[in-house]
Amino acid sequence: MTLNTFRKSLEGKLRSLVRRRFSRKIVTDHGLALEKIGSGYGGWTVPTNLIRPDWICYCGGVGEDITFDLGLIARFGCRVFAFDPTPRAVAHVEQQAADISLFHFLPVGLWSEDKALRFFAPRDPAHVSHSILNLQETSDYFEAKCRSLPSLMAELEHRRIDLLKVDIEGAEHEVVRSMLKQRIHPTVLCMEIDQPVPPFRFRKTIGRVLDSGYKLVALDGWNFTFVTDEALAAAGAASRH
């Protein structure tokens, strides 16, 4: 076994250990109606008794599966704003959602500031997701504009985000860090921790969310669903009456 192989194996074991420790923090006595919306691949577990038609939902990372985005619209009638600059994702949206009035798409990436960045290709050309952090250590890339959440909210004239989903190939750490620093607190935060990730970064990001007034309510693979303490308390009170 080479040193690099040993290092990667050790990091994988540490990531699994950190994940198991965070799984023990899942809140179960919450009064939430948790349900997976969307496909087995692209779906997310969300509290369906919290989501209302007037919710504003931001979905970072489209790829070639918008079943979660469209499920939010079909089930709850809320507005969904999706973001992804990947050419195949753009083509997928044009094919699947061109005539859906509550679905709004911007071909940009999410980041902590407005700037153009490189999106590196996956190792398998059959896969669609590209990574700003170059998670798969490849050399091919395209450049695209990225936007911060405050910048997008200003352009779209939104004073709040009610649900934020980030499945953005490693950029979630920077986006969520910046979001919390800007005091943006969506009621529901759905975040994938894309792999591989240094264990300390994984631990720091999840810890930062929990320390910012959120509770972990669902964990599906590497997909974490958080709800604010305030919404959780309200749901618990409603379930007791």
Side-chain angles (χ1 to χ4, degrees):
M1 179 183 294
T2 66
L3 180 60
N4 188 49
T5 301
F6 174 76
R7 176 183 62 81
K8 289 183 177 180
S9 175
L10 179 60
E11 286 188 348
K13 291 177 181 178
L14 288 173
R15 281 193 296 271
S16 296
L17 177 61
V18 173
R19 182 188 177 280
R20 285 198 299 272
R21 287 183 174 177
F22 279 125
S23 71
R24 298 173 191 153
K25 293 182 177 292
I26 296 176
V27 176
T28 56
D29 183 18
H30 44 51
L32 299 177
L34 294 172
E35 185 178 337
K36 190 168 186 176
I37 304 296
S39 70
Y41 171 76
W44 287 80
T45 300
V46 293
T48 56
N49 56 329
L50 290 184
I51 304 173
R52 302 190 306 268
D54 64 345
W55 269 33
I56 297 169
C57 305
Y58 279 23
C59 293
V62 167
E64 292 178 326
D65 189 327
I66 55 173
T67 54
F68 175 65
D69 313 53
L70 299 185
L72 290 173
I73 294 170
R75 177 76 174 270
F76 308 103
C78 47
R79 290 179 292 164
V80 172
F81 297 81
F83 314 96
D84 195 323
T86 312
R88 279 171 57 182
V90 175
H92 181 74
V93 168
E94 290 176 350
Q95 183 182 43
Q96 299 293 322
D99 299 324
I100 300 176
S101 62
L102 292 174
F103 183 84
H104 310 274
F105 178 71
L106 279 74
V108 299
L110 295 184
W111 192 241
S112 56
E113 59 181 317
D114 292 0
K115 65 185 301 184
L117 291 172
R118 293 177 176 180
F119 286 75
F120 289 88
R123 287 187 180 276
D124 187 342
H127 296 169
V128 63
S129 300
H130 287 58
S131 170
I132 293 173
L133 271 65
N134 197 9
L135 292 181
Q136 299 187 31
E137 300 177 345
T138 58
S139 56
D140 291 338
Y141 65 87
F142 68 87
E143 288 193 1
K145 186 176 182 180
C146 292
R147 302 284 301 278
S148 70
L149 290 175
S151 173
L152 287 167
M153 291 172 69
E155 177 184 332
L156 297 170
E157 299 182 344
H158 295 153
R159 299 185 64 180
R160 71 183 196 279
I161 301 172
D162 298 296
L163 181 150
L164 173 66
K165 182 213 80 175
V166 282
D167 181 358
I168 48 180
E169 304 304 309
E172 63 273 7
H173 305 281
E174 180 65 11
V175 170
V176 169
R177 181 201 65 78
S178 175
M179 175 190 79
L180 296 174
K181 184 178 180 180
Q182 295 289 331
R183 300 184 183 279
I184 300 170
H185 292 90
T187 300
V188 177
L189 171 62
C190 299
M191 174 173 60
E192 180 177 21
I193 300 295
D194 283 290
Q195 304 301 310
V197 59
F200 76 89
R201 182 179 295 165
F202 170 27
R203 178 182 172 188
K204 187 172 184 179
T205 296
I206 300 299
R208 178 180 282 127
V209 174
L210 294 175
D211 290 342
S212 298
Y214 284 89
K215 291 291 190 298
L216 178 61
V217 298
L219 177 56
D220 180 10
W222 293 98
N223 291 353
F224 291 73
T225 300
F226 302 91
V227 173
T228 61
D229 291 342
E230 182 180 1
L232 204 60
S239 69
R240 291 190 290 271
H241 290 86

